[in-house]
């Protein structure tokens, strides 16, 4: 280290001379600045990057970095200045300096308009007498207007400071509120005996209109500069007793006006009410399209589900009195559909183990019954038709908790014969299919080295009843070295278990194992 001290003394002297040239020459061309920068970098930074030990060299280098790096290279900026600006300052002003004044507050956003009220629903009998129904939805309310952002305040510009200034910004204008959604028209259910009776019924079930959006507001005004450019001269005595003066030019930039707020969105219109018709005076039968059947009660089947059939049609405007404001589509009651469904238990395990679980049956719009099996209970099923009744037959069952009960047992063997053993504690492996993925490696002082990662081929998984032996030594390259006796390993195992369309993943992560010693 001491061998460089002479070099550093020479660098100090040269840096001081270059700094004096920089201060007194008044020639701030980009080319000259770059030349000085190269000399300082060569003499100071490249010789001893971590030992800038003299105050003079540090000051010069810092000042030069400010001049040359501000907004780009000195060569691209300083050469663009006018001769007057180059003489006074030597660089262009930065975009911002110190802020004066305080930023204005943002305006309040306008509230959203209230939604329109939905029209009332009605049920009537068309008997030939005149009837007029007012079921239209209400209009949505207008959105509120945003409020104006406040002006910046405290905008008194400091007098003749030795730094650049910029004014505080004005507050952002408030956003307009969204218009409220229009209400839906009311639905109507009409009974009739003769279609001509419908001509004496006038219905107004139009949707409400959406509300108008609120208007956005202007932003506040930013602080303005009273004086935009000023010069200041600073003098000092250098180390040789010479009076050195520098004139600097400073700038003020106006604060920005707050942006205009965003206008609200118009509210959406509501929907027309639904028109339903039924011929005759009989009440519509109550439907029961969904049943929940406990497994303890499946022997009581078959179970009956019902659903009403409605036929969609068009031409409602021609059926009702002129002037009606309704949608043209309507639905008419046809009949009630019944469907039966049974469940039969043929699984070897007694149903009493699962008596508290339920099967959900639903008669869909297509009039087909669909069963939903209990959660966390894996049922192997098939559907048959017994005496013309669809029947769900349960032939086997495994709980999800049982499928999850795997456990790492041990690691055994060395080198090519290294293997790990996983045990099925629930004993359901005759039913549940199992596939394995592993990640095996060893940790050195700084790094974890993966020796194998991926799926274990079925040929290397030996199942003996409910015990799985994974022959991992066959998968590790150079197993004689990496799986030698006493070697510490890190092992992660994933087992994908599937049965009757169900699937889960069992994991044993980051287990530390040791290759057995000989």
């Amino acid at each position: 280290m001491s061998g460089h001290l002479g070099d550093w003394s020479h660098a100090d002297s040269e840096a001081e001379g270059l700094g004096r040239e920089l201060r007194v020459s008044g020639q701030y061309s980009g080319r000259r600045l770059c030349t000085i920068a190269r000399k300082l970098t060569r003499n100071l930074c490249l010789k001893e990057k971590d030992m800038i030990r003299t105050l003079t060299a540090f000051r010069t280098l810092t000042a030069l970095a400010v001049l040359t790096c501000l907004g780009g290279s000195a060569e691209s900026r300083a050469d663009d200045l006018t001769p007057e600006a180059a003489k006074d300052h030597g660089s262009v002003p930065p975009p911002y300096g110190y802020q004066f004044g305080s930023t204005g507050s943002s305006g309040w956003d306008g509230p959203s308009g209230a939604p329109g009220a939905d029209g009332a629903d009605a049920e009537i009998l068309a008997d030939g007498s005149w009837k007029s129904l007012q079921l239209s939805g209400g209009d949505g309310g207008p959105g509120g207007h945003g409020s104006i952002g406040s002006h910046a305040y405290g905008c008194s510009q400091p007098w003749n400071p030795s730094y650049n200034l910029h004014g505080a910004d004005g507050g952002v204008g408030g956003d307009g509120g969204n218009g409220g959604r229009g209400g839906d028209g009311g639905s109507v259910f009409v009974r009739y005996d003769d279609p001509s009776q419908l001509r004496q019924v006038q219905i107004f079930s139009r949707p409400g209109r959406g509300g108008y959006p609120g208007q956005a507001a202007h932003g506040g005004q930013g602080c303005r500069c009273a004086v935009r450019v000023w010069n200041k001269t600073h003098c000092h005595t250098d180390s040789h007793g010479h009076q050195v003066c520098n004139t600097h030019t400073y700038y003020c930039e106006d604060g920005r006006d707050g942006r205009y707020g965003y206008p609200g969105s118009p509210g959406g219109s509501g929907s027309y009410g639904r028109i339903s018709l039924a011929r005759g005076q009989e009440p519509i039968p109550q439907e029961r399209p969904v049943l929940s059947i406990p497994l303890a009660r499946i022997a009581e089947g078959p179970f009956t589900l019902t659903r009403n059939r409605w036929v969609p049609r068009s031409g409602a405007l021609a059926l009702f009195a002129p002037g009606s404001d309704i949608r043209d589509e309507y639905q008419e009651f046809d009949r009630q559909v019944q469907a039966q469904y049974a469940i039969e238990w043929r699984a070897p395990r007694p149903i009493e183990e699962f008596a508290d679980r339920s099967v959900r049956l639903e008669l869909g719009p297509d009039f087909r019954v669909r069963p939903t099996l209990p959660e966390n209970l894996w049922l192997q099923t098939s559907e048959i038709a017994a005496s013309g009744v669809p029947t769900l037959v349960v032939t086997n069952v495994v709980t999800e908790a049982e499928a999850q009960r795997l456990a790492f047992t041990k690691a055994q063997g060395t080198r090519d014969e290294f293997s790990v053993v996983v045990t099925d504690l629930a004993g359901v492996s005759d039913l549940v299919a199992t596939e394995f993925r592993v990640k095996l490696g060893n940790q050195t002082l700084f790094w974890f080295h993966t020796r194998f990662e991926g799926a274990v081929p079925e040929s290397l998984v030996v199942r003996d009843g409910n015990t799985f032996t994974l022959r991992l030594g066959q998968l590790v390259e150079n197993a004689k070295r990496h799986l030698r006796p006493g070697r510490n390993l890190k092992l992660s195992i994933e087992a994908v278990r599937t049965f009757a369309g169900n699937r889960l993943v069992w994991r044993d992560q980051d287990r530390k194992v040791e290759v057995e010693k000989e």
Side-chain angles (χ1 to χ4, degrees):
M1 190 72 67
S2 60
H4 294 287
L5 291 180
D7 294 338
W8 274 100
S9 299
H10 174 72
D12 293 347
S13 175
E14 184 171 356
E16 184 176 354
L18 290 170
R20 183 165 59 253
E21 179 183 354
L22 185 65
R23 291 191 297 268
V24 303
S25 67
Q27 301 299 321
Y28 286 92
S29 70
R31 186 174 293 104
R32 182 57 182 157
L33 285 174
C34 290
T35 301
I36 295 173
R38 282 196 294 270
K39 286 186 178 181
L40 283 176
T41 304
R42 183 169 61 249
N43 289 331
L44 295 179
C45 299
L46 295 183
K47 286 187 176 181
E48 297 286 345
K49 291 182 179 179
D50 298 326
M51 295 182 60
I52 301 180
R53 307 195 308 174
T54 64
L55 183 59
T56 303
F58 183 78
R59 284 176 178 172
T60 305
L61 188 59
T62 303
L64 188 60
V66 171
L67 291 174
T68 57
C69 297
L70 191 60
S73 69
E75 204 153 336
S76 64
R77 296 195 47 140
D79 288 348
D80 293 336
L81 295 174
T82 63
E84 292 77 16
K87 182 176 181 181
D88 292 338
H89 186 57
S91 66
V92 297
Y96 279 97
Y98 290 96
Q99 175 178 302
F100 67 93
S102 298
T103 302
S105 300
S106 297
W108 294 98
D109 295 339
S112 295
D118 293 336
D121 296 336
E123 181 176 341
I124 64 169
L125 172 65
D127 55 6
S129 62
W130 176 259
K131 292 180 175 62
S132 181
L133 303 178
Q134 297 288 341
L135 310 177
S136 295
D139 294 337
H145 301 320
S147 63
I148 297 174
S150 63
H151 299 322
Y153 59 95
C155 294
S156 178
Q157 179 179 345
W159 176 251
N160 207 31
S162 298
Y163 45 82
N164 294 327
L165 294 171
H166 74 91
D169 298 336
V172 175
D175 298 338
N178 297 327
R181 183 184 183 275
D184 295 333
S187 296
V188 61
F189 175 58
V190 183
R191 299 177 184 275
Y192 70 99
D193 291 319
D194 191 307
S196 63
Q197 296 170 329
L198 300 177
R199 298 293 292 175
Q200 298 300 311
V201 179
Q202 189 178 52
I203 303 174
F204 297 93
S205 183
R206 71 164 182 82
R209 294 184 294 267
Y212 292 104
Q215 296 178 1
H218 292 280
Q221 188 179 73
C223 288
R224 299 294 187 256
C225 298
V227 179
R228 298 188 179 278
V229 182
W230 62 96
N231 296 325
K232 291 199 72 173
T233 301
H234 303 277
C235 297
H236 69 279
T237 302
D238 64 12
S239 59
H240 298 285
H242 299 129
Q243 183 80 2
V244 178
C245 295
N246 296 314
T247 299
H248 296 275
T249 301
Y250 299 99
Y251 300 85
C252 178
E253 184 173 337
D254 291 338
R256 294 171 297 187
D257 294 341
R259 67 164 174 81
Y260 200 80
Y262 296 108
S265 300
S269 297
S271 301
Y272 275 99
R274 185 174 57 192
I275 308 296
S276 302
L277 303 180
R279 194 162 189 166
Q281 305 298 319
E282 295 296 327
I284 302 297
Q286 191 73 23
E287 61 183 0
R288 191 170 64 165
V290 177
L291 291 176
S292 181
I293 312 298
L295 291 179
R297 292 182 49 221
I298 63 174
E300 300 175 10
F303 303 96
T304 301
L305 299 93
T306 59
R307 190 181 189 96
N308 294 333
R309 183 174 185 269
W310 295 85
V311 180
R313 293 193 169 103
S314 61
L317 290 169
L319 291 176
F320 290 93
S324 294
D325 191 357
I326 56 177
R327 70 169 71 195
D328 195 46
E329 295 77 21
Y330 68 99
Q331 61 177 2
E332 186 162 11
F333 177 72
D334 178 33
R335 60 189 175 87
Q336 186 175 85
V337 177
Q338 291 187 350
Q340 289 189 319
Y341 201 82
I343 305 172
E344 184 178 344
W345 188 269
R346 297 182 186 176
R349 298 172 66 172
I351 194 173
E352 289 75 17
E353 292 185 28
F354 318 103
D356 59 335
R357 309 293 182 89
S358 298
V359 176
R360 183 177 185 270
L361 303 179
E362 181 176 5
L363 181 61
D366 58 353
F367 303 101
R368 290 185 56 190
V369 179
R370 290 179 175 81
T372 301
L373 303 180
E375 290 186 0
N376 306 323
L377 192 64
W378 293 4
L379 299 178
Q380 188 177 57
T381 63
S382 60
E383 189 171 279
I384 63 173
S387 301
V389 177
T391 302
L392 183 73
V393 179
V394 180
T395 55
N396 235 319
V397 57
V398 172
T399 68
E400 186 175 290
E402 291 170 341
Q404 188 75 34
R405 291 189 63 198
L406 294 178
F408 174 87
T409 303
K410 64 180 178 178
Q412 60 188 15
T414 64
R415 300 182 176 90
D416 293 344
E417 299 301 320
F418 176 78
S419 62
V420 297
V421 179
V422 177
T423 302
D424 177 5
L425 301 179
V428 295
S429 292
D430 287 340
L431 298 174
V432 180
T434 308
E435 297 177 350
F436 290 94
R437 290 181 59 87
V438 300
K439 181 178 180 180
L440 178 66
N442 60 287
Q443 182 76 43
T444 61
L445 183 59
F446 296 107
W447 306 105
F448 177 81
H449 297 278
T450 300
R451 303 306 177 188
F452 176 78
E453 181 176 10
V456 181
E458 186 177 351
S459 60
L460 297 180
V461 178
V462 179
R463 186 171 78 86
D464 182 10
N466 294 305
T467 300
F468 298 89
T469 301
L470 313 182
R471 302 178 61 189
L472 303 184
Q474 302 292 318
L475 299 173
V476 175
E477 186 177 353
N478 197 2
K480 291 184 178 180
R481 174 187 175 190
H482 300 308
L483 301 178
R484 62 182 182 270
R487 191 70 185 268
N488 292 319
L489 304 172
K490 186 180 288 187
L491 174 67
S492 295
I493 307 175
E494 286 187 358
V496 179
R497 312 207 79 191
T498 55
F499 175 72
N502 301 284
R503 179 182 185 273
L504 64 75
V505 180
W506 171 86
R507 291 181 175 88
D508 187 87
Q509 300 286 351
D510 297 331
R511 176 179 294 274
K512 294 181 179 180
V513 298
E514 182 182 9
V515 181
E516 65 180 3
K517 299 177 181 178
E518 294 179 339

